[in-house]
Amino acid sequence: VDAALAACSRGTHRAATVVQIAHQTAAVMSCDEVLVMVAGRLAERGPPKALLEGRCGEGLFASLVQHDARGQAWAGHARGGTT
């Protein structure tokens, strides 16, 4: 299912806004923008890489990625690591 959603977001919907709700950080890593919600309120917003690097937000998304093994693998790859 994750692969199908990723293919969809990279495919024919590039000219449209697609809202994807995910409970695994790896599922949103290819998105243009991530919104982190806490108690129904927007807590953080920005491109996944910028959120991971602390260039926007307070580190909530980065903290979520640290607790999600698949997200950690993506983050290591995005930073040039071998994880």
Side-chain angles (χ1 to χ4, degrees):
V1 174
D2 289 340
L5 286 172
C8 179
S9 66
R10 288 189 306 266
T12 59
H13 294 79
R14 291 307 285 167
T17 298
V18 176
V19 176
Q20 179 177 338
I21 299 171
H23 295 276
Q24 297 174 344
T25 56
V28 298
M29 294 299 188
S30 63
C31 294
D32 295 329
E33 187 169 30
V34 172
L35 295 115
V36 179
M37 307 293 290
V38 175
R41 297 190 183 272
L42 179 64
E44 235 174 34
R45 176 182 183 174
K49 189 172 181 179
L51 290 170
L52 285 171
E53 294 171 349
R55 290 187 280 134
C56 45
E58 297 182 23
L60 294 172
F61 183 71
S63 177
L64 290 171
V65 170
Q66 287 179 341
H67 290 92
D68 180 9
R70 285 192 263 179
Q72 284 182 8
W74 185 93
H77 175 71
R79 292 184 183 129
T82 57
T83 311

